[in-house]
Amino acid sequence: MHSLRPIHNRLRRLLGLGRAEFFDTAVDRWEICPADEVEIAPGIWLPDQVEHIARTEFGGLPDILAQMQGDPAERTPPTMGYRFRDVDFVDGVLHARGAERHLRQRRHSGPTYPRPRDSLSGALYESWIGNRWFGNWLLNDCLAYRLAEAAGAPVTSAPARGGHIARYETLLGMAPRRIGEVHFDELILFDDLHNNSHRRARAQENRARILKDRALKPLPGVFIFRGASGDARILENEAEIAERLEVEYGFRTLYVDRHDADQMAEAAGAARLVVGVEGSQLAHGVIAMPAGGTLLTLQPADRVTTSLKLLTDCWQQRYAMVVGSGTAGGYRVEWDQIRRTLDLIAAAEP
């Protein structure tokens, strides 16, 4: 039997009715954490850095400036739970009556789809950005897992994987049911992207799980080497910067292709500074570095973003950046800029 939901949704758009908001189809909703006020620390950067920005990513320049300004009493929306009935999950897309929610890029397209044979109920904690980027999975989706766990039946469409991801799932006590294409008799989703006090508390819980029973030896800082991993952001003098941080500041360099999750946690968990090219590999540092530590990102001029600041805000860390010269395909960050930014970071410490 085939479902006509894609045709129904397409007809709505053709008739000018628009696509229904997925969360509007919920049969029940509840507040997990009310709206509250939290302190957002200002970002740290040299006074001339704005002049180096050629292009921004995931938001315009006003968004970057607002994030770097911080807010001593930012009003954060509530964390919400939503209950749905009669939902199909097919080809990475949740289909409800008149609404769709994409969790993965579709592999197929068509006016109908076969109804899934399997039916179940569960709480889904994954997101589009978490399925796309490792850092968002570790620092966003793994926080939402704690909500799904409390709801009783965590499920995910992500297959079992090895490496860092498998180890983090073990350290965080994550044991979801892994699903293919299914029909949900009942589905629970969460609106959990706001850094309110409840989300911040879950971040500290996940850090405590990562660092449990580890004998940490204090480090001045760690440099997490990106190299050619992930989406291209080629820092041409990355090796030179890592070496100077080791020699002049006593840093330790970590490599995502050489060090496992435990080694990353033991180093970053003992550090007050995590430095590296802006990207998902820095999530290894954010999840383990203590509250009050600082993440320093080195960014190409044509791809400046404060995406990671939204995450350090949740982990109650500070955020700093240096904008280099060149493009994501090849750029440089001068040592003097880094040295002076490290001075600003030291001056801002309580």
Side-chain angles (χ1 to χ4, degrees):
M1 181 178 178
H2 277 62
S3 171
L4 299 178
R5 283 179 173 175
I7 292 178
H8 175 67
N9 292 342
R10 193 168 300 175
L11 284 174
R12 284 181 58 90
R13 294 194 294 273
L14 289 174
L15 293 172
L17 299 176
R19 180 176 294 174
E21 290 293 329
F22 196 89
F23 285 114
D24 289 345
T25 68
V27 298
D28 185 23
R29 63 191 66 204
W30 62 97
E31 193 174 75
I32 297 169
C33 173
D36 61 8
E37 286 187 356
V38 297
E39 180 180 358
I40 303 298
I44 300 170
W45 57 354
L46 295 169
D48 65 349
Q49 290 298 282
V50 176
E51 301 167 14
H52 293 250
I53 298 174
R55 191 173 68 84
T56 61
E57 190 87 355
F58 309 122
L61 183 58
D63 300 306
I64 300 292
L65 298 177
Q67 279 292 313
M68 292 299 283
Q69 182 177 344
D71 189 335
E74 180 171 281
R75 189 72 175 168
T76 60
T79 298
M80 299 292 297
Y82 297 85
R83 191 185 316 277
F84 305 82
R85 294 200 176 96
D86 186 24
V87 177
D88 293 331
F89 179 66
V90 177
D91 196 20
V93 182
L94 292 167
H95 298 269
R97 288 163 289 190
E100 297 175 355
R101 183 172 176 83
H102 292 245
L103 297 178
R104 297 179 179 277
Q105 185 173 358
R106 296 184 63 181
R107 294 168 295 173
H108 312 289
S109 61
T112 66
Y113 60 78
R115 281 275 192 181
R117 294 181 180 180
D118 297 330
S119 294
L120 56 85
S121 296
L124 197 62
Y125 60 92
E126 67 186 271
S127 65
W128 172 274
I129 58 173
N131 286 332
R132 172 65 178 82
W133 287 288
F134 163 76
N136 292 102
W137 172 80
L138 184 61
L139 301 178
N140 280 330
D141 291 1
C142 291
L143 286 185
Y145 181 88
R146 305 268 76 99
L147 301 177
E149 181 181 54
V155 297
T156 180
S157 68
R161 290 164 285 184
H164 294 125
I165 288 178
R167 181 56 178 157
Y168 277 122
E169 286 186 330
T170 298
L171 291 172
L172 293 171
M174 297 170 64
R177 177 175 177 175
R178 302 190 187 274
I179 61 171
E181 297 187 341
V182 299
H183 174 80
F184 285 100
D185 295 322
E186 182 176 276
L187 171 67
I188 295 174
L189 295 177
F190 308 98
D191 180 1
D192 185 42
L193 288 178
H194 310 296
N195 290 328
N196 53 42
S197 57
H198 192 275
R199 193 165 193 264
R200 287 181 164 201
R202 279 179 281 128
Q204 296 306 314
E205 178 186 350
N206 275 8
R207 170 182 286 122
R209 287 172 180 258
I210 293 291
L211 298 180
K212 184 179 179 182
D213 298 327
R214 299 187 190 276
L216 302 177
K217 298 179 181 179
L219 272 173
V222 297
F223 184 89
I224 303 182
F225 203 94
R226 182 177 178 87
S229 65
D231 296 342
R233 253 154 283 164
I234 307 301
L235 179 57
E236 294 171 347
N237 59 334
E238 187 173 15
E240 174 193 334
I241 290 169
E243 183 178 5
R244 293 195 72 162
L245 286 170
E246 288 178 359
V247 173
E248 298 184 27
Y249 288 87
F251 273 48
R252 180 182 174 190
T253 300
L254 300 173
Y255 298 86
V256 292
D257 58 346
R258 303 181 201 174
H259 294 101
D260 59 29
D262 292 278
Q263 292 169 316
M264 297 272 197
E266 286 163 7
R272 297 290 297 177
L273 266 167
V274 172
V275 183
V277 172
E278 194 281 333
S280 278
Q281 88 284 354
L282 293 179
H284 294 289
V286 174
I287 197 169
M289 182 172 58
T294 303
L295 179 72
L296 170 57
T297 64
L298 311 178
Q299 307 203 29
D302 69 336
R303 195 190 179 283
V304 175
T305 175
T306 47
S307 295
L308 277 167
K309 187 178 189 302
L310 294 171
L311 298 170
T312 56
D313 289 343
C314 180
W315 259 259
Q316 299 173 65
Q317 299 154 342
R318 296 179 304 165
Y319 180 87
M321 77 160 82
V322 176
V323 180
S325 57
T327 68
Y331 71 106
R332 296 181 63 83
V333 175
E334 298 307 320
W335 175 251
D336 184 61
Q337 285 188 303
I338 295 173
R339 180 189 58 77
R340 289 189 292 132
T341 304
L342 291 174
D343 289 344
L344 287 180
I345 292 169
E349 289 182 348

